[in-house]
Amino acid sequence: MKNLIADIGGELKQYSEAIQLRMVWHVWHCDEDLAARLLLDFGADPALCNDQGQAPLAGAAYKGDAAMVALLLERSADVGGAMPDGRTALMMAAMFNRCDVVDLLLRQGARADARDAGGLTALDVARIIGAPDTPQQLAAIMASSSVSD
């Protein structure tokens, strides 16, 4: 994949959105940080959603890939962006007990009080799924933010 991207060079925009989408999602899901950097350098959209409406940031958060989350945020991925069902990257990280990613997203401005289409917060979905650590992590964050309000 890295060789293909290097061959493409600055010409990424010449490919259809469908081809760009396949390339971008392959890179995000295969933990190819260098290839991801190259794609982003050549103009790949860090918010290009798959057919389920999931942006790469949510996918990286689900996987617990803190390095990819940091890279996408560095390249202007929307920390508060939501999928069609209203779920955010923070919710995905919380559901799958990705504590380091939850912390990173919160430090970058993710809102712990954001609600999905069903009215649930990241704390709610983490509890429902049965995540062992992120519910306590989020409860502490929410408690401290309500004290400062």
Side-chain angles (χ1 to χ4, degrees), residues 41-66:
D41 286 347
F42 296 146
D45 182 355
L48 193 59
C49 294
N50 65 14
D51 60 348
Q52 303 293 311
Q54 183 185 62
L57 184 62
Y62 156 76
K63 289 178 61 185
D65 188 344

Side-chain angles (χ1 to χ4, degrees), residues 4-40:
L4 173 63
I5 294 166
D7 289 343
I8 290 170
E11 303 300 319
L12 185 63
K13 297 295 183 189
Q14 74 181 342
Y15 295 94
S16 72
E17 187 171 293
I19 291 172
Q20 289 181 48
L21 179 64
R22 282 190 210 108
M23 290 175 64
V24 166
W25 274 90
H26 172 78
V27 167
W28 299 161
H29 284 279
C30 293
D31 298 324
E32 296 190 31
D33 291 347
L34 176 59
R37 284 186 186 284
L38 287 171
L39 277 174
L40 291 165

Side-chain angles (χ1 to χ4, degrees), residues 126-148:
R127 284 180 174 157
I128 290 167
I129 289 288
D133 305 308
T134 53
Q136 290 176 312
Q137 181 184 16
L138 288 162
I141 294 294
M142 293 180 84
S144 69
S145 69
S146 67
V147 169
S148 64

